[in-house]
Amino acid sequence: MDSTIEFDHCREVALQPGSLFEFTSQFLPAETIPHLFAIYALKQSVCDIPHLSVDDAVKWGKLKWWGEELLADPGSPSRHPIVRALTQSGARDKLDNSLLISLVGDSVQQVDAAPDSSESAMFDRFSEIGQAEIQLELALDDAEVEPRNLKFLSAASTLFGVVSSFSPGQRSQAERLPLSSLAKYGVTGEALEQERCSNELEQIIKDMVLLGLEWYSAGFDDLLLSSSSAANNVPGLHLRLRWAMERRQLMSIQKGIAKFFTKGMRYGPVDALFAWRFLRHLK
């Protein structure tokens, strides 16, 4: 598959410049690259639709098309390159139709969604809409995670995405911040959009980072993150590295919020050393 148009397309879509997957993909075992590039290209294509600057009718139309495309005959030459890549890599055989439709359904829920009233309500929503994209990778690994852990990790990973959106050059997802947080600092989502580096925004992001770290801690509780266990259903190396890097980035933001707003999230030699040591420990 490495030389095909499908793989090249997936690589282009999945490896967004400066993204976490662009960084973690450097540590992928060669045999997992086709599967994960196809999965992350699919997630990028579907999960970004709710945040596009287009009318909601267009978003719903795109998501309806993806739902139909994922259930159509994957062997047809008219299928989308990502769908063909899933089949060619063998990943499609491990993915139930219900799981793929859940990915689309989670995105549908985010179109024109009202802001959550509180942090608790945000947790409930994020833990629900963040599960399908994690379960896709778990399915590739033939792995399982306890429902309680999955809820916290899904919510934490989704919140990581929201925080990341406030990096310079990104379209912020201020509409996904809970109303209680906005009220706490006397601001609106629209005001944050216009004045991204305000003191109020810094405080809100600090609160979100602290919340995300708490959710990661709860999600990692009793979760098998070491390969020393005899269990065969431990999440794969990449998923564990992804979670570790997401938490590491939140910790970095917590230590230097001003730097985050001016330089955003960057992955350098120190992060590479951390990733190498982390994976070495797992092996």
Side-chain angles (χ1 to χ4, degrees), residues 2-282:
D2 289 24
S3 61
T4 65
I5 296 175
E6 289 82 0
F7 180 81
D8 290 340
H9 178 78
C10 288
R11 178 169 52 195
E12 181 179 354
V13 174
L15 299 184
Q16 296 294 305
S19 67
L20 177 58
F21 185 64
E22 182 188 44
F23 173 78
T24 57
S25 66
Q26 301 175 64
F27 303 92
L28 291 176
E31 65 273 13
T32 68
I33 288 178
H35 308 79
L36 284 172
F37 274 27
I39 286 292
Y40 274 82
L42 175 64
K43 291 194 291 187
Q44 186 76 33
S45 299
V46 174
C47 297
D48 274 5
I49 291 176
H51 312 299
L52 296 176
S53 299
V54 297
D55 292 339
D56 288 345
V58 176
K59 298 175 185 179
W60 286 320
K62 288 178 177 291
L63 290 170
K64 179 177 182 294
W65 181 88
W66 269 109
E68 296 170 347
E69 183 73 2
L70 289 170
L71 295 182
D73 177 15
S76 172
S78 62
R79 295 281 72 85
H80 192 281
I82 293 176
V83 176
R84 296 201 302 270
L86 288 170
T87 302
Q88 294 173 13
S89 67
R92 184 64 178 85
D93 295 336
K94 295 187 175 184
L95 306 176
D96 292 338
N97 286 344
S98 60
L99 183 55
L100 293 169
I101 293 304
S102 292
L103 181 71
V104 177
D106 289 347
S107 290
V108 170
Q109 290 187 50
Q110 298 179 64
V111 177
D112 196 29
D116 297 304
S117 60
S118 64
E119 293 178 353
S120 176
M122 182 178 69
F123 172 81
D124 291 339
R125 183 199 294 262
F126 284 7
S127 64
E128 179 182 355
I129 65 176
Q131 287 194 29
E133 66 97 4
I134 290 178
Q135 288 175 323
L136 285 174
E137 194 161 349
L138 288 172
L140 290 183
D141 299 330
D142 294 320
E144 297 179 0
V145 171
E146 290 294 328
R148 176 188 177 278
N149 298 87
L150 182 59
K151 286 186 66 175
F152 277 103
L153 290 170
S154 299
S157 196
T158 303
L159 183 56
F160 171 81
V162 173
V163 171
S164 302
S165 74
F166 288 91
S167 297
Q170 301 294 318
R171 180 195 175 280
S172 70
Q173 299 178 22
E175 72 279 0
R176 303 182 76 182
L177 296 173
L179 294 176
S180 59
S181 295
L182 301 180
K184 179 180 179 181
Y185 296 102
V187 295
T188 63
E190 293 77 8
L192 293 181
E193 290 280 4
Q194 297 171 5
E195 194 177 359
R196 292 164 63 108
C197 293
S198 65
N199 292 332
E200 292 83 1
L201 177 57
E202 289 191 6
Q203 293 303 316
I204 291 173
I205 295 302
K206 283 182 180 179
D207 291 348
M208 294 299 102
V209 166
L210 181 59
L211 197 61
L213 291 173
E214 292 176 355
W215 292 351
Y216 273 116
S217 294
F220 288 149
D221 186 34
D222 295 328
L223 183 68
L224 295 174
L225 292 179
S226 171
S227 60
S228 60
S229 170
N232 294 321
N233 62 345
V234 178
L237 294 178
H238 177 263
L239 189 52
R240 285 179 280 174
L241 175 60
R242 166 189 155 180
W243 286 332
M245 290 303 304
E246 287 176 348
R247 182 170 65 169
R248 175 180 169 84
Q249 283 297 314
L250 290 183
M251 294 173 65
S252 177
I253 295 172
Q254 187 180 43
K255 294 177 181 177
I257 187 72
K259 183 179 179 181
F260 166 69
F261 280 115
T262 56
K263 296 186 177 180
M265 291 186 179
R266 296 186 177 185
Y267 303 95
V270 175
D271 298 298
L273 180 60
F274 170 85
W276 178 79
R277 287 176 172 173
F278 180 83
L279 292 173
R280 184 182 182 188
H281 172 72
L282 293 182

